[in-house]
Amino acid sequence: MRVARPLSLFAAVSIALAGAAATATAAPAPAPKAVAAGSGYAAPTMLHCKLNVRSATKSSATVLRTLRNRNGNCPGKGGHDSVPCWLNKCGGTTAGGSYTCQSGGKSYKSWLPVKHKGKRAWVAIKCGTYVTP
């Protein structure tokens, strides 16, 4: 019993010191950089045949454009719309207003910045997909 207590104390101190050392040497993650279009794109999925590009991160914001997926089970002739991401590798997902992808579905708050006519706009990313180069 007397041996077990010092060993457990030694183990706890060793773990704490190892964690502190790892934290001290870890480099901070680089901040995402804005880049030109072509570093990825957002598009509607096969499940959700359309994806709205909005002026802000809320479902009541102005719809600037509607992207459509006309392949597979989605209505219309062939074709798949997309919009370029605002940040490199489609980064910068932001928490915003709540939305659902379909009536009565699960609620989400993740919005992806995209480039619409040279300005930042937003898509409800859980209703779509994004592809990086």
Side-chain angles (χ1 to χ4, degrees):
M1 197 66 143
R2 288 184 164 199
V3 174
R5 181 175 276 168
L7 286 178
S8 65
L9 179 61
F10 175 76
V13 170
S14 297
I15 291 170
L17 289 175
T23 303
T25 59
K33 297 177 184 176
V35 295
S39 63
Y41 64 89
T45 65
M46 296 298 278
L47 180 59
H48 306 292
C49 297
K50 69 178 188 172
L51 181 63
N52 290 324
V53 177
R54 296 188 179 272
S55 60
T57 60
K58 53 186 177 180
S59 60
S60 61
T62 303
V63 175
L64 304 172
R65 178 180 174 194
T66 299
L67 306 173
R68 299 195 186 277
N69 178 353
R70 298 176 198 90
N71 299 323
N73 296 329
C74 297
K77 295 183 180 178
H80 195 94
D81 296 335
S82 65
V83 64
C85 293
W86 184 258
L87 297 175
N88 188 24
K89 298 192 186 274
C90 295
T93 302
T94 300
S98 180
Y99 62 87
T100 59
C101 298
Q102 59 196 33
S103 181
K106 186 174 178 182
S107 180
Y108 302 100
K109 292 184 178 187
S110 299
W111 295 83
L112 179 73
V114 294
K115 193 171 197 174
H116 174 73
K117 296 185 177 181
K119 295 184 179 180
R120 188 182 314 223
W122 303 90
V123 295
I125 195 56
K126 295 292 185 176
C127 303
T129 186
Y130 61 91
V131 178
T132 57

